[in-house]
Amino acid sequence: MGEPGTLIKFGQQEHLLRLRDEGLLYMNNLPYFWEIEGDELRGDPFDCIVEVARGPRISFPSAEGKEVFLEGNWTIRMHPAEPEKINIFCMYALRPIIEGTFPVNERNFRFGEHALVLMNRDEFMRRIELTLKSQEIIAKANLVEYVEDGYAGKMGPFRKLRRFSYQSEWRLVCKGGPGGPREIKIGSIRDISEIIRSDEVNKEIKVHFEQDGVLDRR
């Protein structure tokens, strides 16, 4: 993130306390997200797929001269190799200059009753980078790009369907995992973070814009 902003992790208080006190990054693997049903927050069968292909309905004339349609449109999802060894850690990216990231969409509050807000985003990323390097973990971090729901083409770990755009994700993707959930500890981040209630995020966080020497506080 080469722009003003910060990262927020929504979740249950007990999990956020471990993130704050131990720097615990808890990372589920890809099959976890593919297999979730009935949870529009986390379940995403398109997450991290390599490519998606789509096709139209097929029709042909019947003996009576009427047009007959075969069953619906088709979609093919191409998965990456060893998806069980790919793990993901996600946070909300509050980017004041990007419309729609603040105020935070309240649907994000359903991830948990509390939120960990980083006061020094760059230091957090630096600590992650040092830990990954010391443990020789292959990883990449970036903001997610959102594409139209009917999109066909290349996907990858940093491209998701637009219906998830309200989540404004920054994510860390690690490879070579254990085949299930993965835990990486970067050490305490108490000095660069605060935990507040999720429903207080839009009340407590203030965005300041300065134009021509005049401070506009929102």
Side-chain angles (χ1 to χ4, degrees), residues 148-167:
E148 296 302 326
D149 288 357
Y151 170 84
K154 301 292 184 183
M155 290 290 284
F158 301 104
R159 185 172 280 175
K160 296 188 67 175
L161 301 183
R162 193 168 300 282
R163 65 172 174 263
F164 294 104
S165 62
Y166 69 92
Q167 296 179 6

Side-chain angles (χ1 to χ4, degrees), residues 12-56:
Q12 300 303 320
Q13 187 176 36
E14 60 184 297
H15 300 149
L16 296 180
L17 286 172
R18 294 198 67 189
L19 171 58
R20 185 192 68 182
D21 298 339
E22 305 172 37
L24 174 63
L25 309 183
Y26 183 86
M27 312 175 76
N28 282 306
N29 66 356
L30 282 186
Y32 169 84
F33 299 102
W34 292 343
E35 294 166 6
I36 293 178
E37 295 182 2
D39 185 348
E40 75 279 10
L41 287 174
R42 299 176 178 85
D44 182 6
F46 291 85
D47 204 344
C48 284
I49 62 173
V50 175
E51 188 172 354
V52 58
R54 302 178 189 271

Side-chain angles (χ1 to χ4, degrees), residues 91-131:
M91 296 185 76
Y92 182 92
L94 192 157
R95 307 163 68 193
I97 63 175
I98 304 298
E99 184 178 357
T101 71
F102 188 79
V104 177
N105 190 303
E106 294 186 1
R107 282 179 285 180
N108 291 285
F109 302 165
R110 289 184 288 167
F111 282 110
E113 295 181 353
H114 288 80
L116 180 142
V117 182
L118 289 174
M119 298 179 293
N120 190 331
R121 173 204 71 197
D122 294 340
E123 175 60 19
F124 176 70
M125 293 183 178
R126 187 189 72 83
R127 296 180 191 183
I128 290 177
E129 184 178 1
L130 288 175
T131 300

Side-chain angles (χ1 to χ4, degrees), residues 44-85:
D44 182 6
F46 291 85
D47 204 344
C48 284
I49 62 173
V50 175
E51 188 172 354
V52 58
R54 302 178 189 271
R57 291 192 299 170
I58 299 174
S59 68
F60 63 95
S62 68
E64 293 79 22
K66 296 181 180 180
E67 191 174 23
V68 177
F69 288 93
L70 300 183
E71 186 67 25
N73 297 340
W74 56 267
T75 301
I76 297 176
R77 298 186 293 269
M78 283 150 269
H79 294 174
E82 298 186 308
E84 71 281 358
K85 295 184 179 181

